């Protein structure tokens, strides 16, 4: 259908590269390489660039079923060296499959890659295959940060499942020592022809060399905006609106009486959280602004946070849409992520326009975003690494706050329902998405309304 | 990025002041002469103003020229020239004074363009900024490539007011000696000594960057921009789609195909592009039929950007101006009052357009030869960026159909060549009418009375 053709040529993201890109992490253990790999991969996938992480530690755990201790990593342990080299080869083989068969565009090779020898072999491998290479080196000499890292993600690793905290910590520190001797950081002179970013001490300083293309430029921009300072992101929809009550989508109506109640309750909840320096963001639409007004805190309006534009279907009920645009209704159920309302937007468009919001969310610390159903689904999908198939069906009910707190490699989510009744606006994917379906089949999953 | 700021009460159509930082920012260039400081200052200023951040550059060289009237030779810049040093110090102070004034009067970013090559001078500026509550961000340009430096001198120094009475060799010689005067006392930003400062060090015209302690959003955006610009010679071609069926009817917006004359234009465009013999030309279109059909005729691979779609006229889509006047006279008048900020009901404003075009501009900066086939309002926004037009001028820039604008960066600006491809088309340009407040009240009352009388007559019948 129409969407496929347009999508095939180009959608929200311009042709970023013709050749695939291999991102190569560099750094001693506990320098945040895996944290960066996972976060970067999550971001690239969200903006529509198929990306996958290849973590060497995982390959090693599969090859050597049980980890004994740091001795495995001693530079004079020949047997272990052989195994580790084989793992690297296997990982790179999988990268080739990912690029050639699975339509991957970016692969993140997450390993220490601390010797020049190892990096040279990766560069020749890539040259041979026609991949672009971009190195991301993390350098950190702050012992507090390293200790914190170890506590957050190493102690609970499968490697240390039978150890107590202190044993694990001690062993891991010895593991780091094994790498230190042979560690050769990227060199200003010798590596001046390579493309890379060096991150010092969790982002206080960066060295960027030879950015080759658009995707590398976007990666650099992203990496320079993320931080690890503890904070929470609060996501909530506006309070129930007048149009919500009538089961109508879109529009720009104000809050219903229950919606106002929610806004007041939200204000109380926020106060109770005692959040330091909370930023509040809303869209330009009445219902989010009215909600924020009750909070008594200054707020910023973002046009980018406006609800998805339903084009010709604005302010219609689902029953209206079925009656007036049955084919469009079915097409939407077939591919809810890419489907674009006539004269309106798709979820895919929404992701594109939300990208600057995400970038600023990364820069900020404590933020409350008061937005809309489709918008919240997009933001949530980014924060919780949901696929484009799952995204349009994520549950974001009215009158519920989601508190997201980054922890280890992911995000802890707390659902806080503020106990004010509201209509349900969530429509599940119906069983029959064929354009020839009966109206009843189309309307089966519509939530109740007045 | 444009976010409305909430002041004490929420207003639906919020003003355009962007709340990127609470305090103003002072950008301070650092580097020997002929390292591209002024080029960077002007370009950055142009970009920030375009995205809605009031910015102004303060070039100390200009203050010196005003003070000194006549430039004799490089001797003025000798480090042992006491009088010269005094004058230069005064000029720097005068410039900083104007900076203070500008940032107090609604400016948000000031670019202090001077060599600032000693730690002492930078310390003075940092103190000045602290006293006034400004954030400081240094932009240092380091370059040792003699070819790049020579090219710089040729492009922008030889034509400087300082050298109006010299020939090329004399000017070149003098300028080189001028650079020497600074070299001995040059203290580059140091990784250790200056680790608490916020800065970007640009090395070898962008091959390498060192970024330290970025404090906030605007600095992050500045860094991103500086890391995407380049000086490789290239040209940007801007044109609209060929004349469309809706153009012929005099209707705005919509998604119609090309008229016969539009198709003719597309053929001529193809010939023109071929004749230009451009290496590695990228072609971009919007996702609307008329630009795609135009690109199809050019027969080169093209990329579609949704961001290049024409301004959304909301309820006025596919109407003729006469119809808009008839059905929405008040809206029509309000648009003429402030065409840049006015947002069509359920549509967009030029201001919205600029925001959605920002990624396009960023990618245009990264690219080399590009042909952008777009639309009237979109082209006005892009042109305003390249030619440094204000928000007031932008919505009235002339972008006629069937005309290609070839923009070639040169010195501190852009050379523009307008190539009309000799295929007739309707004129879609509407000048700013002479509208006073009385005119639109008159229109409003006229319409109101007309409707009232009409209703009364209806009732009587």
């Amino acid at each position: 259908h129409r969407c496929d053709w347009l999508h095939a040529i180009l959608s929200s993201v311009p042709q970023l590269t013709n050749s695939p890109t291999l991102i190569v992490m560099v750094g001693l253990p506990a320098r945040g390489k895996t944290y960066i790999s996972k976060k970067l991969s999550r971001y690239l996938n969200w903006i529509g660039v198929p990306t996958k992480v290849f973590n060497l530690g995982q390959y090693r755990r599969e090859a050597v079923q049980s980890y004994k201790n740091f001795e495995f990593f001693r530079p004079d342990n020949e047997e272990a060296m052989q195994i580790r080299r084989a793992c690297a080869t296997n990982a790179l083989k999988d990268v080739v499959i990912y690029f050639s068969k699975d339509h991957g565009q970016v692969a993140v090779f997450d390993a220490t890659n601390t010797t020049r020898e190892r990096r040279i072999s990766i560069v020749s491998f890539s040259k041979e295959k026609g991949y672009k290479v971009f190195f991301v080196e993390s350098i950190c000499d702050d012992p507090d940060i390293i200790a914190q890292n170890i506590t957050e993600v190493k102690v609970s690793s499968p490697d240390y499942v039978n150890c107590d905290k202190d044993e694990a910590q001690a062993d891991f520190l010895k593991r780091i020592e094994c790498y230190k001797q042979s560690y050769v950081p990227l060199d200003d002179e010798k590596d001046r022809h390579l493309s890379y970013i060096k991150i010092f001490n969790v982002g206080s300083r960066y060295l960027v060399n030879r950015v080759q293309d658009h995707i590398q430029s976007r990666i650099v921009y992203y990496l320079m905006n993320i931080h690890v300072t503890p904070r929470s992101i609060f996501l909530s929809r506006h309070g129930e609106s007048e149009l919500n009550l009538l089961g109508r989508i879109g529009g720009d109506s104000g809050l219903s009486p229950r919606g106002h109640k929610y806004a007041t309750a939200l204000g109380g909840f926020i106060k109770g959280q005692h959040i330091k320096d909370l930023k509040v963001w809303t869209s330009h639409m009445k219902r989010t602004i009215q909600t924020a007004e009750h909070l008594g805190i200054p707020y910023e309006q973002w046009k980018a946070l406006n609800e998805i534009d339903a084009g010709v279907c604005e302010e219609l009920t689902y029953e209206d849409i079925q009656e007036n645009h049955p084919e469009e209704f079915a097409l939407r159920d077939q591919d809810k992520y890419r489907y674009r309302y006539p004269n309106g937007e798709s979820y895919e468009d929404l992701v594109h326009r939300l990208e600057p919001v995400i970038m600023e969310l990364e820069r900020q610390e404590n933020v409350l975003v008061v937005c809309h159903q489709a918008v919240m689904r997009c933001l949530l999908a980014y924060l919780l690494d949901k696929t484009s198939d799952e995204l349009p069906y994520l549950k974001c009910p009215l009158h519920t706050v989601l508190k997201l707190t980054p922890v280890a490699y992911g995000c802890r989510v707390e659902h806080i329902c503020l106990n004010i009744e509201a209509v349900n606006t969530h429509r599940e994917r119906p069983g029959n998405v064929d354009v020839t379906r009966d109206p009843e089949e189309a309307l089966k999953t519509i939530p109740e309304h007045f | 990025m444009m976010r409305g700021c909430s002041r004490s009460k929420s207003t639906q159509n919020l003003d355009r002041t962007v709340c990127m930082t609470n305090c103003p920012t002072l950008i301070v260039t650092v580097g020997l002469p002929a390292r591209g400081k002024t080029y960077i200052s002007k370009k950055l200023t142009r970009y920030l103003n375009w995205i809605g951040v009031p910015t102004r550059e303060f070039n100390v060289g200009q203050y010196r020229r005003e003070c000194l009237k006549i430039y004799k030779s490089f001797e003025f810049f000798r480090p042992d020239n006491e009088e010269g040093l005094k004058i230069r110090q005064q000029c720097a102070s005068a410039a900083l004074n104007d900076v203070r004034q500008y940032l107090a009067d609604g400016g948000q970013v000031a670019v202090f363009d001077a060599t600032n090559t000693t730690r002492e001078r930078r310390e003075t500026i940092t103190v000045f900024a602290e006293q006034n509550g400004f954030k400081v961000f240094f932009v240092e340009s380091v370059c040792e490539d003699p070819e790049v430096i020579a090219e710089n001198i040729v492009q922008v120094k030889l034509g400087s007011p300082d050298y109006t009475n010299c020939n090329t060799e004399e000017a070149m010689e003098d300028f080189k000696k001028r650079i020497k005067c600074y070299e001995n006392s040059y203290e580059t930003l140091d990784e250790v000594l200056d680790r608490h400062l916020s800065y970007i060090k640009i090395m070898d015209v962008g091959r390498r960057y060192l970024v330290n302690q970025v404090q906030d959003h605007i600095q992050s955006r500045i860094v991103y921009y500086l890391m995407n610009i380049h000086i490789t010679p290239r040209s940007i071609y801007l044109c609209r789609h060929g004349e469309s069926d809706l153009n012929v009817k005099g209707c705005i917006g919509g998604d119609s195909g090309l008229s016969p004359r539009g198709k003719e234009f597309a053929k001529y465009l193809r010939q023109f592009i071929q004749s230009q013999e451009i290496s590695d030309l990228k072609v971009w279109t919007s996702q609307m039929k008329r630009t795609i059909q135009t690109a199809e005729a050019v027969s080169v691979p093209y990329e579609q950007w949704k961001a290049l779609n024409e301004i959304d006229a909301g309820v006025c889509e596919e109407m003729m101006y006469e119809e808009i006047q008839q059905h929405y006279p008040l809206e029509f008048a309000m648009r003429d009052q402030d065409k840049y900020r006015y947002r069509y009901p359920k549509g967009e404003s030029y201001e919205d357009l600029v925001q959605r075009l920002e990624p396009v501009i960023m990618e245009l900066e990264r690219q080399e030869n590009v042909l952008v086939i777009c639309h009237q309002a979109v082209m006005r926004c892009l042109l305003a960026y390249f030619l440094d037009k204000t928000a007031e001028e932008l919505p009235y820039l002339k972008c006629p159909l069937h005309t290609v604008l070839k923009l070639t960066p040169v010195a501190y600006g852009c050379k523009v060549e307008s190539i009309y491809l000799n295929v007739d088309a309707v004129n879609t340009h509407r000048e700013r009418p002479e509208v006073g407040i009385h005119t639109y009240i008159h229109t409003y009352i006229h319409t109101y009375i007309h409707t009232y009388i009409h209703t009364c007559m209806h009732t009587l019948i």
Side-chain angles (χ1 to χ4, degrees):
Chain A
H1 67 87
R2 176 191 65 228
C3 293
D4 277 334
W5 176 70
L6 284 180
H7 180 71
I9 303 190
L10 226 226
S11 51
S12 49
V13 173
Q15 208 100 70
L16 291 176
T17 54
N18 297 320
S19 19
T21 303
L22 180 61
I23 297 178
V24 182
M25 303 303 299
V26 180
L28 294 172
R31 262 58 176 181
K33 298 186 301 298
T34 302
Y35 175 81
I36 290 170
S37 301
K38 286 179 184 261
K39 212 168 154 73
L40 186 57
S41 164
R42 176 162 57 90
Y43 167 70
L44 291 173
N45 278 310
W46 186 74
I47 63 169
V49 181
T51 305
K52 189 170 176 188
V53 178
F54 296 82
N55 175 283
L56 203 51
Q58 226 127 287
Y59 283 78
R60 189 258 307 155
R61 272 182 281 273
E62 263 153 60
V64 183
Q65 291 299 327
S66 71
Y67 172 77
K68 287 204 194 68
N69 60 37
F70 78 96
E71 307 256 1
F72 180 84
F73 292 96
R74 286 178 56 154
D76 55 2
N77 185 340
E78 264 310 311
E79 201 190 317
M81 275 298 182
Q82 260 192 30
I83 298 175
R84 289 158 73 190
R85 250 179 251 125
C87 287
T89 309
N90 288 335
L92 289 179
K93 276 204 187 112
D94 285 350
V95 166
V96 174
I97 296 174
Y98 179 63
F99 284 152
S100 55
K101 298 213 171 61
D102 296 336
H103 309 294
Q105 228 170 297
V106 177
V108 185
F109 186 51
D110 177 18
T112 50
N113 297 315
T114 39
T115 61
R116 178 158 284 116
E117 178 201 8
R118 169 59 65 83
R119 297 194 292 265
I120 288 175
S121 73
I122 295 174
V123 171
S124 4
F125 158 83
S126 306
K127 215 176 186 164
E128 191 200 327
K129 300 283 179 193
Y131 306 155
K132 290 187 181 176
V133 185
F134 188 74
F135 292 93
V136 177
E137 182 170 23
S138 174
I139 295 179
C140 180
D141 45 26
D142 182 335
D144 290 332
I145 298 179
I146 296 165
Q148 168 81 334
N149 259 6
I150 299 178
T151 311
E152 268 217 34
V153 297
K154 301 298 179 186
V155 163
S156 52
S157 135
D159 290 342
Y160 296 111
V161 80
N162 294 318
C163 302
D164 74 35
K165 243 180 47 181
D166 296 315
E167 280 173 358
Q169 189 105 23
D171 184 87
F172 200 84
L173 287 169
K174 293 204 190 96
R175 208 153 108 174
I176 299 178
E177 287 306 311
C178 294
Y179 284 89
K180 272 197 178 154
Q181 293 263 356
S182 56
Y183 179 23
V184 180
L186 289 167
D187 185 79
D188 284 359
E189 252 310 296
K190 298 208 180 95
D191 296 314
R192 66 187 179 284
H193 296 298
L194 298 181
S195 296
Y196 63 84
I197 178 171
K198 252 195 217 227
I199 305 170
F200 296 88
N201 287 325
V202 206
S204 62
R205 194 160 94 244
Y206 305 91
L207 187 63
V208 180
N209 196 63
R210 292 198 182 255
V211 170
Q212 299 172 51
D213 60 20
H214 178 98
I215 189 69
Q216 291 181 16
S217 160
R218 290 285 284 279
I219 288 167
V220 163
Y221 183 42
Y222 182 73
L223 292 178
M224 287 175 53
N225 280 318
I226 60 180
H227 67 77
V228 294
T229 312
R231 52 83 169 250
S232 289
I233 296 170
F234 297 82
L235 299 182
S236 158
R237 289 169 66 188
H238 52 82
E240 182 190 69
S241 72
E242 299 287 353
L243 284 177
N244 284 147
L245 279 178
L246 300 171
R248 295 183 175 280
I249 67 172
D252 192 14
S253 59
L255 299 180
S256 70
R258 299 194 294 197
H260 280 289
K261 263 181 137 163
Y262 171 70
T264 311
L266 183 61
F269 167 74
I270 291 297
K271 274 207 185 69
Q273 289 276 304
H274 301 296
I275 307 152
K276 148 175 116 79
D277 282 331
L278 178 72
K279 296 267 160 71
V280 179
W281 297 349
T282 69
S283 68
H284 276 203
M285 298 179 136
K286 290 199 193 76
R287 50 201 190 276
T288 57
I289 294 170
Q290 285 179 10
T291 308
E293 278 289 318
H294 284 269
L295 302 175
I297 314 178
Y299 57 91
E300 282 179 39
Q301 299 177 22
W302 291 68
K303 186 169 191 270
L305 285 172
N306 279 4
E307 181 57 315
I308 192 172
D309 184 355
V312 299
C313 297
E314 276 285 316
E315 300 198 39
L316 299 184
T317 61
Y318 287 120
E319 292 91 334
D320 291 335
I321 300 175
Q322 170 57 37
E323 200 181 297
N324 298 309
H325 308 276
E327 196 186 316
E328 295 292 331
F329 202 37
L331 289 177
R332 186 160 204 254
D333 284 335
Q334 288 180 17
D335 190 355
K336 198 175 176 189
Y337 183 72
R338 276 166 211 84
Y339 173 83
R340 195 183 274 165
Y341 283 107
N343 294 341
E345 295 177 298
S346 62
Y347 270 95
E348 189 169 36
D349 296 327
L350 207 51
V351 160
H352 183 63
R353 80 162 148 88
L354 285 169
E355 204 261 349
V357 177
I358 287 295
M359 198 61 90
E360 190 55 18
L361 262 178
E362 286 295 346
R363 290 199 54 80
Q364 291 291 343
E365 293 182 21
N366 293 315
V367 186
L368 163 65
V369 185
V370 181
C371 55
H372 305 266
Q373 183 167 247
V375 169
M376 188 160 156
R377 284 171 170 155
C378 293
L379 299 178
L380 204 55
Y382 166 73
L383 294 164
L384 300 183
D385 202 18
K386 299 293 181 188
T387 64
S388 57
D389 289 326
E390 301 170 292
L391 188 160
Y393 297 100
L394 293 175
K395 283 206 169 71
C396 295
L398 287 165
H399 298 187
T400 306
V401 185
L402 291 186
K403 177 178 178 181
L404 298 138
T405 312
V407 76
Y409 295 137
C411 231
R412 185 178 76 212
V413 197
E414 293 165 63
H415 293 253
I416 304 117
C417 175
L418 292 190
N419 263 320
I420 313 269
E421 278 216 41
V423 292
N424 172 25
T425 59
H426 187 92
R427 184 175 163 269
E428 284 293 355
R429 188 175 196 263
N432 190 345
V433 296
D434 209 67
V435 295
T436 58
R437 67 189 175 181
D438 292 327
E440 306 85 64
E441 295 177 285
L443 299 175
K444 231 186 183 132
T445 55
I446 289 178
E448 285 182 7
H449 59 84
F450 291 96
Chain B
M1 172 150 338
M2 308 246 244
R3 296 131 51 186
C5 245
S6 72
R7 297 288 156 78
S8 47
K9 298 288 165 227
S10 76
T11 34
Q12 181 65 327
N13 202 11
L14 257 203
D15 59 297
R16 58 186 273 325
T17 320
V18 185
C19 225
M20 290 207 217
T21 57
N22 297 320
C23 19
T25 302
L26 177 60
I27 296 177
V28 182
T29 62
V30 179
L32 293 173
R35 262 56 177 183
K37 299 184 300 298
T38 302
Y39 175 82
I40 289 170
S41 301
K42 286 181 181 274
K43 212 168 153 74
L44 187 56
T45 301
R46 177 162 57 89
Y47 167 71
L48 290 173
N49 278 311
W50 187 75
I51 62 169
V53 181
T55 305
R56 191 184 293 176
E57 31 136 8
F58 298 82
N59 177 285
V60 174
Q62 223 126 288
Y63 284 76
R64 188 258 305 155
R65 272 182 282 273
E66 262 152 61
C67 185
L68 214 47
K69 298 301 173 197
I70 300 174
Y71 172 76
K72 289 207 194 67
S73 77
F74 78 94
E75 308 259 358
F76 178 80
F77 291 97
R78 286 179 57 155
D80 56 0
N81 181 343
E82 276 300 324
E83 203 187 315
L85 280 171
K86 220 170 82 170
I87 295 175
R88 288 156 71 192
Q89 186 91 292
Q90 284 171 359
C91 289
S93 302
L96 285 179
N97 232 357
D98 287 351
V99 162
R100 189 207 328 257
Q101 184 89 316
Y102 174 68
L103 294 179
D105 270 345
Q108 227 167 299
V109 178
V111 184
F112 186 62
D113 176 18
T115 50
N116 299 315
T117 39
T118 62
R119 187 156 282 114
E120 183 195 3
R121 168 59 64 85
R122 297 194 291 264
E123 180 62 29
T124 314
I125 298 171
T126 309
V127 166
F128 160 84
E130 244 158 59
Q131 286 171 348
N132 288 285
F134 306 150
K135 289 187 182 175
V136 185
F137 188 74
F138 292 94
V139 176
E140 181 173 20
S141 174
V142 177
C143 179
E144 290 316 314
D145 184 336
E147 278 178 34
V148 173
I149 296 166
E151 177 64 30
N152 257 6
I153 300 177
V154 166
Q155 274 223 19
V156 297
K157 300 298 180 187
L158 300 185
S160 141
D162 290 345
Y163 296 111
T164 29
N165 296 319
C166 302
N167 70 36
T168 312
E169 282 96 53
E170 284 170 353
M172 182 73 86
E173 271 319 298
D174 185 271
F175 201 85
K176 286 193 178 147
K177 293 202 188 101
R178 206 153 111 177
I179 299 177
K180 275 257 163 316
C181 294
Y182 285 88
E183 270 175 6
N184 281 333
S185 58
Y186 181 19
E187 296 169 288
T188 182
L189 286 168
D190 184 79
E191 272 181 35
V192 179
L193 293 172
D194 297 311
R195 68 188 177 281
H196 296 300
L197 297 180
S198 297
Y199 66 85
I200 178 172
K201 202 190 263 229
I202 304 169
M203 296 170 267
D204 294 322
V205 205
R207 199 147 293 165
R208 237 156 106 80
Y209 305 91
L210 188 63
V211 179
N212 197 65
Q213 305 277 14
V214 169
Q215 298 173 50
D216 59 21
H217 178 96
I218 188 71
Q219 291 180 15
S220 161
R221 290 288 285 282
I222 288 166
V223 164
Y224 183 42
Y225 181 72
L226 292 177
M227 287 174 57
N228 280 317
I229 61 180
H230 68 78
I231 54 168
T232 311
R234 52 85 169 250
S235 289
I236 296 168
Y237 298 81
L238 299 182
C239 77
R240 290 167 67 187
H241 52 83
E243 183 191 68
S244 72
D245 289 326
L246 281 176
N247 283 144
V248 172
K249 292 205 187 106
C251 298
I252 67 170
D255 192 15
S256 59
L258 298 180
S259 70
R261 297 195 296 195
K263 293 190 180 131
E264 191 68 17
F265 164 73
K267 287 202 202 109
Y268 278 82
L269 182 61
R270 178 194 177 157
Q271 285 172 17
F272 169 72
I273 291 299
Q274 282 173 349
S275 73
Q276 289 277 302
E277 288 178 348
I278 309 151
S279 83
D280 282 328
L281 178 71
K282 297 264 157 74
V283 179
W284 296 351
T285 69
S286 68
Q287 287 185 357
M288 298 180 135
K289 291 200 193 76
R290 51 201 189 278
T291 57
I292 294 171
Q293 284 178 12
T294 309
E296 280 286 322
V298 178
S299 274
V300 223
Y302 57 93
E303 283 180 38
Q304 299 177 23
W305 291 68
K306 185 171 194 268
L308 284 172
N309 280 5
E310 182 56 316
I311 193 171
D312 185 353
V315 299
C316 298
E317 274 286 316
E318 300 198 40
M319 287 190 176
M320 295 188 282
Y321 286 121
E322 294 81 9
E323 289 176 282
I324 303 177
Q325 169 63 45
Q326 197 180 63
H327 297 288
Y328 300 98
L330 242 142
E331 295 289 332
F332 201 46
M334 290 206 305
R335 185 162 204 251
D336 285 335
Q337 296 252 318
D338 189 357
K339 197 173 176 190
Y340 184 73
R341 278 166 209 84
Y342 172 83
R343 196 182 275 162
Y344 283 107
K346 301 216 168 122
E348 295 177 297
S349 62
Y350 271 94
E351 189 171 31
D352 295 329
L353 207 52
V354 161
Q355 190 183 359
R356 78 164 151 86
L357 286 169
E358 202 264 350
V360 177
I361 286 295
M362 198 62 88
E363 190 55 19
L364 267 174
E365 285 295 344
R366 290 198 54 80
Q367 291 292 340
E368 292 183 20
N369 293 314
V370 187
L371 163 64
V372 184
I373 302 173
C374 54
H375 306 266
Q376 183 167 247
V378 169
M379 188 161 157
R380 284 172 170 155
C381 293
L382 299 178
L383 203 55
Y385 167 75
F386 287 109
L387 302 184
D388 203 16
K389 299 294 182 187
T390 63
E392 275 60 51
E393 300 169 293
L394 187 161
Y396 296 101
L397 294 175
K398 282 206 169 71
C399 296
L401 286 164
H402 299 184
T403 306
V404 182
L405 292 186
K406 177 178 178 179
L407 303 152
T408 312
V410 76
Y412 294 138
C414 233
K415 182 175 85 191
V416 195
E417 293 163 65
S418 175
I419 305 116
Y420 172 58
L421 291 190
N422 249 325
V423 180
D424 275 337
V426 294
N427 173 20
T428 58
H429 186 89
R430 199 177 151 267
E431 283 294 356
R432 184 205 309 257
E434 287 308 303
V435 176
I437 192 99
H438 54 279
T439 312
Y440 97 81
I441 290 181
H442 178 86
T443 313
Y444 177 67
I445 293 173
H446 183 85
T447 316
Y448 175 74
I449 291 174
H450 183 87
T451 317
Y452 177 69
I453 291 173
H454 198 82
T455 318
C456 288
M457 290 180 70
H458 233 337
T459 329
L460 285 175
I461 296 167

